[in-house]
Amino acid sequence: MDPKPAKYVPKSPSDLLDLIKAYPFAWIISTGGTFNATPLPIRPIVEGGHLVAMLGHFGRNNPQVERLRTDPFAHLLILGPHGYISPSWLSDKTQAPTWNYASATFACRISLLETAAEIGVLLRDLIDTHEEGRPNHWSLDDMGARAERLARGVVGFRADIVEQQIAFKLGQDEQDLEFSEILTALETHGPADLATYMRWQNPNR
């Protein structure tokens, strides 16, 4: 992967983890041979404070599962907040438009997880994470016997990261006046999450 400019590197390794937790719906794209791509939710695995792998699952009848048995390499693509930046927002109308965004691309080696125990742990982790804090918290146990049938239709995976490319292009190129004007416009017209990330990655502006 071509490296991104150093100015677009997140301020901290934890920022990447926060991005994945906030935007956990990723594309997994098989490499080489027949093209296969599936969007699906993922969960991060952290060791020693660093992201090392991700967990997810396919429907068992997804043809990408067989593709990964043959060639267990894939790219995972995550797109966080993003948006068009209009020169109409700026005092200096000679500025060019641009696009601000936070993204992460991972080259991964895929290990399929197919035992009932592995799939049960994976599904519970995903469900419990997204049900946490809800007023009527739902559990996999609420499905009763249907939970076992659900698990039989699923193939889990662990995606160990071989290489990664992270880009948080969030206003680092802008002069202070333009940066302020862009934030004002985004906070007025949206996307508001992009403004939040711009403030987060430029704490002294």
Side-chain angles (χ1 to χ4, degrees), residues 84-97 181 185 189:
Y84 175 74
I85 306 301
S86 171
S88 69
W89 300 339
L90 307 179
S91 300
D92 181 2
K93 299 299 190 289
T94 68
Q95 296 286 340
E181 290 173 333
H189 305 293

Side-chain angles (χ1 to χ4, degrees), residues 108-139:
C108 298
R109 182 178 180 88
I110 307 297
S111 302
L112 297 178
L113 308 174
E114 302 193 66
T115 70
E118 289 172 326
I119 293 170
V121 169
L122 186 154
L123 292 178
R124 285 183 184 278
D125 175 62
L126 179 66
I127 291 167
D128 290 348
T129 296
H130 291 285
E131 288 289 333
E132 185 177 4
R134 294 178 183 270
N136 296 308
H137 181 99
W138 185 86
S139 167

Side-chain angles (χ1 to χ4, degrees), residues 160-179:
D160 286 284
I161 298 169
V162 176
E163 189 177 356
Q164 65 184 33
Q165 180 174 280
I166 315 303
F168 280 28
K169 180 183 176 296
L170 296 166
Q172 298 94 325
D173 301 307
E174 311 299 341
Q175 298 297 320
D176 287 346
L177 175 60
E178 284 78 17
F179 184 86

Side-chain angles (χ1 to χ4, degrees), residues 28-95:
I28 178 168
I29 302 172
S30 296
T31 60
T34 304
F35 174 78
N36 290 114
T38 303
L40 41 74
I42 51 106
R43 291 281 295 138
I45 298 177
V46 178
E47 294 177 1
H50 294 277
L51 178 71
V52 297
M54 286 164 281
L55 295 173
H57 67 277
F58 293 99
R60 188 170 291 275
N61 62 354
N62 187 324
Q64 194 169 5
V65 173
E66 295 308 314
R67 180 77 189 89
L68 290 168
R69 291 191 200 280
T70 303
D71 183 356
F73 290 92
H75 287 112
L76 267 69
L77 280 61
I78 295 169
L79 181 60
H82 64 95
Y84 175 74
I85 306 301
S86 171
S88 69
W89 300 339
L90 307 179
S91 300
D92 181 2
K93 299 299 190 289
T94 68
Q95 296 286 340

